[in-house]
Amino acid sequence: MQAMASLSLLQPFSTAIHRRRRGSLINYSTNLPIPRLNRRPFSQTIASVNSDDGPPTLNTHQVKPGPDPSLKPFLVDWNPPRPLWRSASALVMAGQVILRTLRGKIHTRNTLQQLERIGPRSVGVCLLTSAFVGMAFTIQFVREFTRLGLTRSVGGVLALAFSRELSPVVTSVVIAGRVGSAFAAELGTMQVSEQTDTLRVLGAHPVDYLVTPRVLACCAALPVLTLLCFAAGMASSSILADGVFGVGINIILDSAKKALRPWDIISAMIKSTVFGGIIAVVSCAWGVTTLGGAKGVGESTTSAVVISLVGIFIADFVLSYLFFQGAGDSLKYAMG
């Protein structure tokens, strides 16, 4: 009777499985903990229920103390600022693009589609912007040069300004606003709708399929657009200088020919290639790190364009400092 009373007290905590097999009742029992009000800090009492009608056996096991919850690991609660980990993701993405490109993992069809999208579809707005920037620049300094009698150096100044600074920067700014925003919006929408996860399920690497074609297309299209913008800016400036200030087109072209050096065009190509990589990598990185719904996509698009422009201006300063050091003599040849 005492054993039956003990088992009845353990019944609420028992997980015994009763099965009826061949007319007999079989009791499958397990070791069960008995709750105690005054349990010692590092001990645990286990009740072993016997298969017969004997009383349960109580066993006490020592439990090793765990780590103190008040002592947390270093930086466990640190939440890095969003621009910081986005910048880190952009650097990681740039490294992945370079490595996978060197390994030949290039999606040719997507690359050609992005190249057609960035190049031919952006020619009109780039040429129009470059033409009006060139005319505004011409108005500001040709009138001063004319008063000083330096009309023969107008073409050289225009050529150097367009080749070294205006054409690469203006073209990159236009592409950042037109193409970079589209990259960030597209990849951001794909991220919040989990389409990038679908690509992984289908066996396609998102960097190979989405990021690398855009980066390669930007780096290939911007040098060509820069050359076209250089030609458009020089043409519009020459026409304005001839029609408004009386400086002949032949004088401007001759001065530009004497002032320009091959390195001026090469530096413009290098700058535009670097700017294209910055635009594509930043826009794609900001797109794939989008959080939230439509609001997050809008914020990522705006932030991608702003960061791309800041990166372009910083890279322009660094490259100009590296490429053009010391005193120059280009205008001396233009005036000769």
Side-chain angles (χ1 to χ4, degrees), residues 59-80:
N59 298 321
T60 302
H61 301 278
Q62 295 293 330
V63 179
K64 295 182 179 180
D68 189 357
S70 62
L71 300 177
K72 296 182 179 180
F74 182 64
L75 297 179
V76 67
D77 292 332
W78 181 61
N79 188 16

Side-chain angles (χ1 to χ4, degrees), residues 199-251:
L199 287 176
R200 294 187 179 93
V201 172
L202 296 176
H205 199 287
V207 174
D208 297 340
Y209 192 81
L210 299 175
V211 180
T212 303
R214 287 170 166 81
V215 175
L216 295 180
C218 273
C219 293
L222 253 72
V224 179
L225 292 175
T226 299
L227 285 178
L228 295 177
C229 289
F230 172 75
M234 286 296 299
S236 62
S237 299
S238 300
I239 294 173
L240 181 65
D242 184 27
V244 177
F245 300 101
V247 181
I249 296 178
N250 293 331
I251 297 176

Side-chain angles (χ1 to χ4, degrees), residues 129-163:
T129 304
S130 180
F132 279 96
V133 169
M135 288 188 290
F137 184 72
T138 302
I139 292 174
Q140 296 298 326
F141 81 91
V142 171
R143 56 193 299 267
E144 305 297 335
F145 276 42
T146 304
R147 290 180 181 179
L148 296 175
L150 301 175
T151 56
R152 300 191 63 85
S153 63
V154 170
V157 173
L158 286 174
L160 294 178
F162 272 102
S163 63

Side-chain angles (χ1 to χ4, degrees), residues 78-87:
W78 181 61
N79 188 16
R82 194 174 182 184
L84 180 61
W85 62 264
R86 272 188 158 178
S87 302

